[in-house]
Amino acid sequence: MTTITRVETFLVAPRWLFVRVETGSGIVGWGEATCEGRSETVRAAVDQLAELLIGRDALRIEDHWQVLTKGSFYRGGPILASAVAGLDQALWDIAGKHFGAPVHQLLGGPVRDRIRVYGWVGGDEPGEVRDHVAAQVEAGLTAVKMNASGRMSPAASVAELDGVAARVAAAREVLGDERDVAVDLHGRFTLANARRVMPLLEPYRPLFVEEPVVPENSHLMGEFVRSTTVPVATGERLYSRQEFLPVFQAGIAVAQPDLSHAGGITEVRKIAALAEVYDVQLAPHCPLGPIALAACLQVGFATPNYLIQEQSIGIHYNLDAEVLDYCLDKAPLTFVDGYIERLTAPGLGIEVDEQAVRAAGKRAHAWRSPVWRHRDGSYAEW
């Protein structure tokens, strides 16, 4: 019997919300519904949505997704989409375990044998950037991503703009011509600032520049895309095909849906198919935990237009716990020569350490986004 009998959530360090779905046959599926800084709210949403799943067949994944997403008059937004995402991942995990196959096999089979991954680098000064990039290269990565800046003035000074260019130049110096750097503007730049900085970055040929404008200003994306030769990426704060469509039409090159924010495997597969129509590659957002990463990889192994995968192993803000701490076997998510090999175990392809998760869930972990302000005291985009 694949009837759903129980749904549990675990808020664990450093800032992740895990979802556990149990069936009458004893099969357990895991998902990740993390919404950074709002996971307690998502947890309440998961509890409420669980009422629609208990007593139902876990294998009716598409039907469940439709009901969970559309079964209320008020729809959409990151809280609901993240709650649905965690449950959806868990249902796919159950399906894979039930049929004895990895999820990507259920999605049509593999189109590749390994997926390229990138890691984050920090550093406020060019020298620090060089050191952090060198460490990632030493770890075997062939691509990194970095923030363009910290807090950015609405009308950036010459020093602020030159500082961005100097840090990217430092990264390129270490990486050489055979490796890649992506640059995240993180929605911290006004359109004017973003347009001003791009000519300074173009000589360093970033893999892509990410989130040049905040998602609520997606109507400005086309103007930005037309102003630069660098491929443009966005999508970590877009939660559905409908929200991605305008930026596809605006000409972005890389879509970055988050498997824990954008409705899970079911919706991201559809986003990927829509992206293919617009010649857009996928590079899912995932500075999250092992379950979210495994879900991303399962989609990637079955998706032709999949560029690269973000992962947060060793990232500076993973405090009190690391990505692999909640895995019984760390080997499946270990990268070799900058790639993760195809996951072959049933379901999401990883074995969650339930004992470690339950122990971590008993401790309080309430992560909050910082609040930044400009020098005049007004709010600054984080």
Side-chain angles (χ1 to χ4, degrees):
M1 293 287 291
T2 52
T3 303
I4 298 168
T5 57
R6 181 162 61 158
V7 176
E8 298 176 274
T9 55
F10 303 90
L11 192 60
V12 302
R15 55 177 189 169
W16 304 328
L17 180 65
F18 294 166
V19 178
R20 180 184 184 275
V21 178
E22 185 176 337
T23 68
S25 64
I27 296 177
V28 170
W30 289 90
E32 188 167 339
T34 304
C35 185
E36 303 92 305
R38 294 287 184 270
S39 286
E40 294 97 325
T41 313
V42 175
R43 188 179 207 174
V46 171
D47 289 343
Q48 184 175 2
L49 292 175
E51 298 171 7
L52 300 171
L53 295 178
I54 299 298
R56 305 288 184 178
D57 184 356
L59 301 182
R60 294 177 60 100
I61 299 174
E62 179 66 36
D63 184 50
H64 292 317
W65 189 92
Q66 295 291 329
V67 172
L68 296 175
T69 301
K70 302 176 181 179
S72 173
F73 187 73
Y74 297 98
R75 309 174 181 181
I79 303 303
L80 176 62
S82 297
V84 172
L87 291 164
D88 182 79
Q89 291 172 26
L91 295 181
W92 278 104
D93 194 26
I94 289 168
K97 291 171 180 175
H98 174 77
F99 292 110
V103 167
H104 68 263
Q105 199 69 55
L106 306 185
L107 297 175
V111 297
R112 57 178 53 80
D113 297 320
R114 61 195 59 85
I115 289 176
R116 191 184 185 199
V117 297
Y118 69 83
W120 266 92
V121 296
D124 295 327
E125 301 296 332
E128 295 175 342
V129 172
R130 289 189 192 94
D131 291 343
H132 292 172
V133 173
Q136 292 286 32
V137 171
E138 180 67 23
L141 291 179
T142 63
V144 299
K145 187 167 76 176
M146 59 186 294
N147 277 326
S149 70
R151 180 181 56 203
M152 179 62 62
S153 302
S157 67
V158 171
E160 287 177 300
L161 296 175
D162 285 349
V164 174
R167 288 187 290 274
V168 176
R172 175 55 69 198
E173 179 183 337
V174 177
L175 292 166
D177 295 337
E178 299 297 324
R179 301 181 180 90
D180 287 304
V181 59
V183 182
D184 190 354
L185 303 191
H186 218 268
R188 296 170 182 168
F189 286 58
T190 61
L191 175 62
N193 279 345
R195 293 176 63 185
R196 290 173 68 201
V197 80
M198 290 313 298
L200 306 179
L201 301 186
E202 286 177 356
Y204 307 112
R205 286 167 285 184
L207 179 64
F208 55 77
V209 62
E210 178 177 330
E211 216 174 31
V213 296
V214 291
E216 55 266 35
N217 283 345
S218 290
H219 59 283
L220 301 176
M221 190 64 77
E223 185 175 349
F224 178 79
V225 168
R226 291 187 292 272
S227 74
T228 182
T229 61
V230 176
V232 178
T234 197
E236 69 185 71
R237 290 186 279 181
L238 303 176
Y239 312 114
S240 67
R241 286 158 284 164
Q242 290 82 355
E243 293 183 8
F244 271 93
L245 181 58
V247 296
F248 290 163
Q249 294 170 327
I252 69 165
V254 181
Q256 299 174 297
D258 189 307
L259 269 287
S260 289
H261 297 163
I265 292 170
T266 297
E267 179 66 2
V268 171
R269 274 284 285 178
K270 296 171 183 177
I271 292 169
L274 181 61
E276 196 172 8
V277 176
Y278 288 90
D279 201 18
V280 172
Q281 298 292 304
L282 240 66
H285 179 255
C286 189
L288 304 176
I291 303 170
L293 177 57
C296 289
L297 294 169
Q298 292 295 343
V299 171
F301 288 123
T303 300
N305 53 322
Y306 210 88
L307 177 66
I308 196 168
Q309 180 56 57
E310 180 175 26
Q311 53 79 36
S312 66
I313 296 171
I315 200 168
H316 57 283
Y317 53 65
N318 278 352
L319 303 176
D320 301 320
E322 251 294 347
V323 173
L324 301 181
D325 288 351
Y326 298 108
C327 296
L328 285 172
D329 181 3
K330 298 174 173 54
L333 297 182
T334 301
F335 46 82
V336 178
D337 297 328
Y339 289 80
I340 291 179
E341 295 294 318
R342 185 162 63 89
L343 307 179
T344 57
L348 293 180
I350 62 170
E351 191 173 358
V352 174
D353 186 341
E354 184 169 330
Q355 184 176 351
V357 171
R358 289 191 179 278
K362 294 177 182 178
R363 300 185 289 270
H365 298 288
W367 186 88
R368 294 291 181 268
S369 301
V371 176
W372 285 0
R373 294 192 178 276
H374 294 298
R375 291 181 179 179
D376 64 2
S378 61
Y379 174 76
E381 286 287 351
W382 178 74

